[in-house]
Amino acid sequence: MDPLVAAIDQGTSSTRFLVFNAKTAELMSQHQVEIKQSFPKEGWVEEDPKEIMQSIYECMERTCEKLRLLNIDISNIKALGVTNQRETTLVWDKETGEPLYNAIVWLDLRTQSTVESLINKSPGKNKNHLKHKTGLPISTYFSAVKLRWLLDNVEEVQQAVLSQRAMFGTVDSWIIWCLTGGNNGGVHCTDVSNASRTMLFNIHSMDWDPELCRYFDVPMEVLPTVRSSSEIYGWMKSGSLAGVPISGCLGDQSAALVGQMCLREGQSKNTYGTGCFMLRNTGTKPLMSDHGLLTTVAYKLGKDEPACYALEGSVAIAGAVVCWLKDNLGIVQSSSEIEKLAAAAGTSHGCYFVPAFSGLYAPYWEPSARGIICGLTQFTNRNHLAFAALEAVCFQTREILDAMNQDSGVPLTELQVDGGMTSNRLLMQLQADILCIPVVRPTMSETTALGAAMAAGSAEGVGVWSLSPSHLPHVTSEKYEPQINPDESEFRYARWKKAVQRSMNWETNEPCCNTNVTTGVGKKMNGTPWGVPPPPPHIRADL
């Protein structure tokens, strides 16, 4: 039988374990477990690191059971790749193996006041003050400010740092450390794609930057070793796959870029998950954006291979808006129902929804924005709202695409898409209509896990998956062509932009009265953030 390669896909809302044929990229089996998020205060988003690991072990064992039922020998699994939600921040004790706090999820807003203070202290109050080294604006999104919060606010973290027991990592580091033995010889590492999302990593020197670490006052000894995205990091220590090498690691959006076979300069993909992320491969030279996009390390597929970079547009709320309609408003009973509701309306009837629940990410990077629904009339019903929510995902993608076209100077002629939301056919058609270019969806939607498997299978010492263009498998796909008049598309897009402006500068730190009634995200009415201290004086703002 052909060799198999497995992948852990640890996302914001679920964990999956998938096994692929290394010759054909066929998905052989998989298992999925949902992950709970907790919201201890408004704007705070956390997950339990132990639950994350438990979900991984469960998915692995259940998938192996399914393979045995299919008479597939699990000894054919030759390698394992890891792909993960990026920027989510963990600190744990290397002696006990215990997490020192919950994982702070990438969407979390508790560091907003720290971010505002850092921007205000920077020359010209410039949010792009660190961009020349990191490719990123100063934002609540990235790991450095989350780690700084943990160092300032969690006594267990402070004590562990003092006694040199603390380990910091994004989710990939925690997974690899646990799977390779944890406090019994576990490997503490990350790959370049995840490291480049921390604001502590220099995307030119390809290593942790001492000046950036001093700026955020982060002790460098807590950081993982940075490795390439495709090499043997260690071996599985227990379970059905004990002895299998862990040899691929990519942040989820980089993994989707690889899984969509976007390995040449200029190729792009958009992933529709909890958030929405468009990446354009820019080759071996980083391209700095003038239009609000991020410059990120896409992948480095081998120790001796060059790093490739990408321009990225990040949207915080995509699939999460459907969850909000289901869980908070109760207007749908399941996520799949939104397509039916929206199709019944066929239009938003002039209703526009800006789901800025965590501020606005690209291209604005405006943490003060908040979600709004405007254009309501007595005629508006839940069907129109469902349609407006789907349109919001498409409009946000259009903003990213426009910025990407401006930065690269080469307009995209079609968009490759993947992720859970792409099963919504109405959304895909809406996306083609609003972009005025075709949208292409692979019939096998698990491209994120596929990318991690490709990186793992092609690693030196494994060598069961070829990434040469002539050996890449052909992936069947579905194409959605634009069906509306471009003038109508432009009119709707212009109205959306108007709605976005109305969502700006909603949340401020300005005092309005001396009362402690709660209002806004994590604020009291006197402007003091709940549980969020002012930034420590030792954070440098002069880098």
Side-chain angles (χ1 to χ4, degrees):
M1 185 182 171
D2 289 338
L4 306 176
V5 180
I8 295 163
D9 181 357
Q10 205 299 300
T12 315
S13 54
S14 73
T15 297
R16 277 174 286 200
F17 187 75
L18 308 94
V19 176
F20 296 92
N21 180 311
K23 298 297 179 203
T24 64
E26 181 190 354
L27 177 59
M28 307 304 292
S29 187
Q30 65 167 315
H31 191 73
Q32 180 171 359
V33 171
E34 287 197 6
I35 295 286
K36 289 190 200 76
Q37 294 179 350
S38 58
F39 306 93
K41 298 181 182 180
E42 282 188 77
W44 293 31
V45 190
E46 296 178 2
E47 290 178 351
D48 179 352
K50 289 175 127 178
E51 186 194 343
I52 288 172
M53 285 313 303
Q54 190 51 49
S55 70
I56 288 169
Y57 292 126
E58 183 183 338
C59 286
M60 279 181 167
E61 294 306 321
R62 292 295 298 278
T63 304
C64 288
E65 284 168 23
K66 291 176 183 180
L67 288 170
R68 290 187 190 104
L69 291 172
L70 293 167
N71 291 319
I72 294 171
D73 187 348
I74 63 169
S75 69
N76 281 320
I77 297 175
K78 303 302 182 189
L80 170 62
V82 174
T83 181
N84 56 286
Q85 52 173 314
R86 305 168 302 167
E87 302 93 17
T88 295
T89 302
L90 302 93
V91 180
W92 64 94
D93 187 316
K94 67 180 169 190
E95 290 180 9
T96 65
E98 291 292 308
L100 296 169
Y101 191 80
N102 276 343
I104 301 180
V105 177
W106 57 276
L107 279 168
D108 188 280
L109 279 177
R110 74 187 66 190
T111 56
Q112 186 177 333
S113 62
T114 302
V115 165
E116 286 171 5
S117 177
L118 286 173
I119 292 169
N120 286 335
K121 281 185 191 173
S122 69
K125 299 190 175 182
N126 181 8
K127 70 181 83 166
N128 293 318
H129 177 49
L130 306 177
K131 196 172 178 180
H132 64 292
K133 285 191 172 192
T134 65
L136 312 172
I138 300 170
S139 164
T140 59
Y141 183 18
F142 307 109
S143 308
V145 284
K146 295 172 169 54
L147 175 55
R148 187 65 254 159
W149 186 91
L150 288 164
L151 291 165
D152 288 332
N153 291 280
V154 181
E155 193 176 339
E156 290 86 345
V157 172
Q158 294 161 0
Q159 292 304 319
V161 169
L162 287 173
S163 55
Q164 298 189 320
R165 290 178 291 110
M167 283 184 159
F168 153 78
T170 42
V171 174
D172 57 305
S173 299
W174 169 241
I175 293 171
I176 293 171
W177 187 79
C178 290
L179 294 182
T180 55
N183 58 347
N184 185 23
V187 177
H188 188 214
C189 69
T190 188
D191 93 298
V192 292
S193 70
N194 280 294
S196 74
R197 312 296 293 189
T198 60
M199 280 202 297
L200 300 171
F201 184 78
N202 186 316
I203 62 172
H204 308 287
S205 68
M206 301 300 286
D207 209 345
W208 303 120
D209 189 285
E211 274 199 312
L212 290 168
C213 290
R214 281 199 297 276
Y215 181 84
F216 291 103
D217 198 28
V218 165
M220 290 187 79
E221 59 271 17
V222 307
L223 304 177
T225 305
V226 183
R227 311 272 287 267
S228 78
S229 311
S230 178
E231 61 178 274
I232 296 174
Y233 313 111
W235 287 263
M236 285 286 296
K237 275 292 191 287
S238 62
S240 297
L241 299 180
V244 172
I246 301 171
S247 53
C249 180
L250 287 159
D252 52 9
Q253 303 314 318
S254 289
L257 193 74
V258 173
Q260 284 268 33
M261 323 284 176
C262 295
L263 300 174
R264 291 197 312 274
E265 188 176 340
Q267 291 183 306
S268 306
K269 68 88 207 174
N270 196 34
T271 299
Y272 299 74
T274 300
C276 205
F277 304 89
M278 189 185 297
L279 269 69
R280 182 182 185 113
N281 189 326
T282 62
T284 54
K285 289 203 173 94
L287 176 63
M288 290 295 169
S289 171
D290 295 321
H291 300 92
L293 302 180
L294 310 177
T295 303
T296 196
V297 180
Y299 52 79
K300 179 175 158 63
L301 295 174
K303 276 189 269 197
D304 302 319
E305 294 297 313
C308 283
Y309 297 86
L311 272 181
E312 175 173 338
S314 314
V315 168
I317 304 293
V321 77
V322 181
C323 295
W324 182 80
L325 290 174
K326 175 170 72 78
D327 300 335
N328 292 35
L329 294 196
I331 73 166
V332 290
Q333 300 309 305
S334 67
S335 297
S336 56
E337 202 185 321
I338 193 163
E339 184 173 5
K340 204 189 306 175
L341 278 189
T347 170
S348 70
H349 197 70
C351 170
Y352 289 83
F353 189 166
V354 182
F357 302 152
S358 296
L360 287 168
Y361 284 11
Y364 302 101
W365 300 106
E366 187 46 75
S368 72
R370 288 295 174 269
I372 63 164
I373 301 168
C374 53
L376 299 174
T377 68
Q378 284 178 307
F379 181 73
T380 310
N381 61 32
R382 67 182 188 142
N383 297 0
H384 300 123
L385 194 55
F387 194 96
L390 295 183
E391 264 196 327
V393 175
C394 300
F395 287 133
Q396 290 180 104
T397 299
R398 167 75 190 267
E399 291 193 295
I400 301 300
L401 187 76
D402 283 358
M404 215 161 260
N405 285 343
Q406 287 175 293
D407 276 325
S408 67
V410 184
L412 204 63
T413 53
E414 65 175 33
L415 181 65
Q416 289 175 242
V417 300
D418 58 75
M421 286 190 92
T422 61
S423 61
N424 185 324
R425 290 169 176 273
L426 175 61
L427 177 72
M428 294 295 93
Q429 186 56 56
L430 269 174
Q431 189 66 87
D433 290 344
I434 286 165
L435 296 181
C436 301
I437 60 172
V439 166
V440 180
R441 181 180 76 90
T443 46
M444 200 288 288
S445 61
E446 300 294 348
T447 50
T448 302
L450 178 61
M454 289 166 67
S458 64
E460 187 182 340
V462 178
V464 297
W465 204 309
S466 171
L467 298 186
S468 70
S470 58
H471 286 95
L472 289 176
H474 174 71
V475 178
T476 57
S477 57
E478 218 177 351
K479 187 182 268 198
Y480 294 83
E481 299 279 356
Q483 289 182 353
I484 66 169
N485 183 311
D487 289 344
E488 185 190 336
S489 176
E490 291 304 321
F491 173 79
R492 279 154 60 179
Y493 182 47
R495 295 291 291 270
W496 155 263
K497 301 273 274 188
K498 203 171 162 185
V500 168
Q501 290 307 314
R502 282 165 164 71
S503 76
M504 300 278 201
N505 303 309
W506 186 264
E507 189 62 38
T508 70
N509 280 327
E510 292 166 14
C512 65
C513 50
N514 293 318
T515 172
N516 283 341
V517 179
T518 313
T519 183
V521 173
K523 300 281 192 299
K524 297 176 187 175
M525 283 186 74
N526 64 3
T528 309
W530 283 108
V532 183
H538 49 266
I539 286 187
R540 292 173 58 210
D542 59 340
L543 186 62

